[in-house]
Amino acid sequence: MSLPTLLELLRLATGYLREKGVEQPRLDAEVLLAHVLKTERIMLYVHHDRPLEPEEVTAYRALVARRGRREPAPYLTGEKEFHGLPFRVTPAVLVPRPETEHLVAVALAFAGDGAWHGFDVGTGSGVLAVTLAVRCPQARLVASDLSPEALAVARENAQRHGVDDRVELVEGDLWAGREPRGAWDLVISNPPYLTAQEMAGLPPEVRWEPQLALDGGPDGLAVIRRLAAEAWAHLRPGGLLAFEIGASQAAACLELLENTGHYRDARVTHDHAGLPRVVSCLRAA
Ligand SMILES: C[S@@+](CC[C@H](N)C(=O)[O-])C[C@H]1O[C@@H](n2cnc3c(N)ncnc32)[C@H](O)[C@@H]1O
């Protein structure tokens, strides 16, 4: 029996993933095949008539079957790009989302590339802290998470990008025991913000992600409420608090910040789809 060519296998896998309801079946079929062959996606087209070895077919079949069960592709390849940088991801961390790049943009616009100090609350894979440290070579950040497994992934990413000497990873709740000294230039966070209703109806891929990274309590604001109440005391006067939100949470978040009496210049940044995505404000003097 002749071995299937690369293109034949891609067609089969694409049809299978389409049947299983995967949103971009061809793209994922290519990403997984490129991963198995340890090559770039573009090379699949260059070598489209290459027959595959039996062990390559077996490895690919196994990955395609898992993708068919709606396991996110980044958990299968162990990689996801964020802000133009490659990051390691595992099921211990949220898959970094392109929308979160808006939070990086807000932080960069405020802080510039000086020698500032930042705090990333709920760092997960470390994408925010590591990206900011890469983009701002004099910045120093502390990045916290409740999950030691997530912090291990963040550590790997900080080392991979050569910023582990400027990104300190700490395990614990929000500030991980750091005293509020009114000294940080910026506090950023992509906190869990899904509501109980959203948690009950998660799309198939999202069900594979850690509950701790998603669940924001009944109204989705449990962690955001605590951030609003506590961040000001950690920030220097004029320092920036910026966090990601769900599309329907902007008004509630602005009200939370206003009610503390500790912030000024609160604003909402929208994503490319025109949805509210980031809330930011400055610590009042
Ligand atoms: C939505 S994920 C964001 C991960 C990453 N910053 C990103 O943008 O892809 C939220 C992260 O916050 C962590 N987390 C949840 N509650 C926390 C808390 N009270 N203190 C510290 N980290 C928390 C979760 O473990 C998870 O890694």
Side-chain angles (χ1 to χ4, degrees), residues 119 121 144 172-184 186-189 221-237 239-243 256-263 281-284:
F119 204 117
V121 177
S144 72
D173 184 38
L174 296 194
W175 317 101
R178 296 292 159 107
E179 292 301 317
R181 291 185 301 108
W184 298 103
L186 79 131
V187 168
I188 48 162
S189 182
L221 298 175
V223 175
I224 290 178
R225 203 170 272 119
R226 294 179 57 211
L227 272 177
E230 298 172 23
W232 68 272
H234 291 265
L235 287 165
R236 65 163 168 81
L240 178 86
L241 166 64
F243 53 90
L256 277 176
L257 294 170
E258 170 78 26
N259 288 346
T260 68
H262 290 297
Y263 303 101
C281 58
L282 305 180
R283 177 184 163 174

Side-chain angles (χ1 to χ4, degrees), residues 2 13-14 36 44 47 69 92 107 112 159 187 221 249:
S2 67
T14 303
V36 166
L44 302 179
H47 299 297
R69 291 194 287 275
Q159 285 166 352
V187 168
L221 298 175
Q249 294 170 335

Side-chain angles (χ1 to χ4, degrees), residues 2 28-29 33 46 60 77 91 130 170 183 208 259:
S2 67
D28 284 2
L33 188 54
V46 177
Y60 186 51
T77 62
V130 171
V170 288
W208 293 87
N259 288 346

